[in-house]
Amino acid sequence: MKNIYLLGECMIELMNTSMNTMKQSFAGDVYNTAVYLKRAFPKTNVHLVTVVGTDRFSQNMMTCFKDENIQSDLVFQSKNKAPGLYAIDLDDNGERSFTYWRENSAARQIMQHINDAAIAQLSQGDMFFFSGISIAVIEPNARASFWHMVDQLIQAGVQIVFDPNYRPRMWSSPGEAKAQFQLAFAKASTVLPGVDDFEQLFAIDTAQGVIDSLAPYPITELIIKNGPASLIVVTQSLNDGHPQEIQVSPVKHVVDTTSAGDSFNGVYLGAKLNDINDFEAINMAAQSAAYVIQHKGAIVDKIGFDEFWQARF
Ligand code: ADP
């Protein structure tokens, strides 16, 4: 059985359902990716690498990991920190706004828990996934040890996968984010960016611009997401390094685009780990993302998703 390790932060999510009533769940880009990967490919071992607290919310979060069959062998517990929190507010026009309380979250301490034994375990994995948010979450003074760990995984032959999700307010400056993203581009063999990330950080707003800016890096698999616009794929095996456009069928009634990219990533990586060819892996990923955005929330109802998946694949 294949093993993928995903490092990042899972947060407590609050969403208002009516005036003064909030529904509580758990979400975060890397966690969302893990959930969809495991739902679509249950035979793959999906391990989350993170830190939670010992409080009730953290206990419930770990129960949620278990319910989603996500392995917690590298989920650490901090005695003095709690998970990050965010609230989604829907205004009268259906516009969403997000408020975060994550500056002091347990997950920021992840590198304090990564010892030689953890690195030895990660080195046995097939894939290691992290995002731009994962890097931002890691305390700045611990990032050197994160990159050192990534180098050790590369040496061990683990496939490194990076999604440069960019959240400006998590960085002290755009320059700080750029420097960290450039390190990630230099180390990851698979990169799964959205054009919007490049637009905000590098003022690049086309897929070709993304390809050109990543040309100096040794990336062997690049899939560029751009909402309902075509996916642009550059992989050695699919097209000998020439960009290929794969049409997306636009969804007519989008309900909530949260997690579009995360569900795409999870299903795509799961498919690749299960030796499904590139074209079919992308098709599965795009159809899953299209399903997810027709439902509310980052993590859609499990029964509904399973029914969709069984009917299609
Ligand atoms: P992110 O969540 O990273 O911003 P995108 O919005 O680029 O991600 O969407 C990721 C994927 O989800 C797209 O590549 C596409 O496959 C699918 N997708 C997103 N928006 C739509 C849409 N309106 N109709 C159909 N598919 C979509």
Side-chain angles (χ1 to χ4, degrees):
M1 270 215 284
K2 295 282 176 70
N3 285 278
I4 177 170
Y5 291 86
L6 304 100
L7 185 146
E9 177 174 25
C10 182
M11 287 175 289
I12 300 162
E13 181 194 85
L14 296 177
M15 184 164 21
N16 62 356
T17 50
S18 62
M19 194 68 162
N20 297 329
T21 309
M22 299 287 242
K23 178 176 174 281
Q24 191 255 299
S25 47
F26 299 106
D29 68 333
V30 168
Y31 170 68
N32 307 339
T33 300
V35 167
Y36 289 110
L37 197 166
K38 185 70 185 182
R39 285 186 182 180
F41 295 97
K43 289 200 180 114
T44 306
N45 288 324
V46 178
H47 309 250
L48 206 58
V49 184
T50 194
V51 190
V52 299
T54 52
D55 53 281
R56 286 276 296 162
F57 287 105
S58 296
Q59 289 169 27
N60 291 341
M61 192 183 272
M62 289 187 68
T63 303
C64 207
F65 298 165
K66 203 164 175 243
D67 290 346
E68 293 288 353
N69 300 307
I70 290 172
Q71 283 166 246
S72 296
D73 43 346
L74 290 181
V75 175
F76 303 95
Q77 283 185 283
S78 162
K79 289 194 182 70
N80 54 2
K81 300 273 183 185
L85 168 81
Y86 75 104
I88 308 169
D89 187 46
L90 266 182
D91 71 14
D92 293 341
N93 301 320
E95 287 292 327
R96 290 174 307 145
S97 62
F98 296 84
T99 310
Y100 293 89
W101 295 264
R102 68 193 307 186
E103 300 76 15
N104 201 23
S105 70
R108 303 208 67 184
Q109 298 184 327
I110 181 61
M111 293 314 297
Q112 294 178 25
H113 297 268
I114 300 290
N115 56 17
D116 289 347
I119 293 178
Q121 183 179 342
L122 291 165
S123 300
Q124 300 291 316
D126 297 284
M127 254 185 212
F128 177 75
F129 175 85
F130 66 102
S131 74
I133 298 176
S134 310
I135 314 173
V137 164
I138 297 168
E139 287 162 340
N141 63 9
R143 288 192 193 133
S145 67
F146 172 75
W147 293 120
H148 181 58
M149 176 193 78
V150 171
D151 286 340
Q152 288 173 280
L153 301 187
I154 293 169
Q155 287 214 324
V158 179
Q159 184 183 343
I160 308 295
V161 184
F162 176 57
D163 179 346
N165 276 330
Y166 176 54
R167 298 292 178 274
R169 65 185 136 192
M170 294 183 75
W171 298 93
S172 63
S173 67
E176 186 198 16
K178 276 183 197 168
Q180 291 295 314
F181 280 25
Q182 280 156 0
L183 281 171
F185 295 142
K187 294 177 193 295
S189 58
T190 299
V191 178
L192 308 173
V195 172
D196 51 349
D197 302 312
F198 273 73
E199 195 168 353
Q200 286 190 68
L201 187 57
F202 298 104
I204 290 170
D205 61 2
T206 61
Q208 188 56 49
V210 175
I211 294 172
D212 293 343
S213 78
L214 294 179
Y217 299 100
I219 298 163
T220 53
E221 184 178 28
L222 174 66
I223 300 183
I224 304 169
K225 296 164 283 181
N226 195 8
S230 297
L231 287 145
I232 304 296
V233 182
V234 192
T235 66
Q236 296 302 329
S237 52
L238 190 71
N239 43 22
D240 274 344
H242 299 296
Q244 180 164 325
E245 198 177 323
I246 297 184
Q247 299 273 322
V248 168
S249 308
V251 163
K252 285 205 184 72
H253 301 291
V254 175
V255 174
D256 181 353
T257 56
T258 311
S259 219
D262 305 335
S263 52
F264 183 96
N265 291 348
V267 172
Y268 176 73
L269 296 175
K272 292 303 298 279
L273 281 164
N274 285 276
D275 300 322
I276 290 169
N277 71 57
D278 293 351
F279 185 79
E280 182 58 6
I282 290 166
N283 174 37
M284 288 172 154
Q287 287 201 39
S288 301
Y291 175 85
V292 166
I293 63 175
Q294 292 177 73
H295 298 81
K296 228 174 146 183
I299 306 286
V300 303
D301 176 63
K302 187 168 179 358
I303 295 172
F305 184 85
D306 288 348
E307 280 171 5
F308 147 78
W309 184 262
Q310 299 299 338
R312 294 283 171 94
F313 305 112

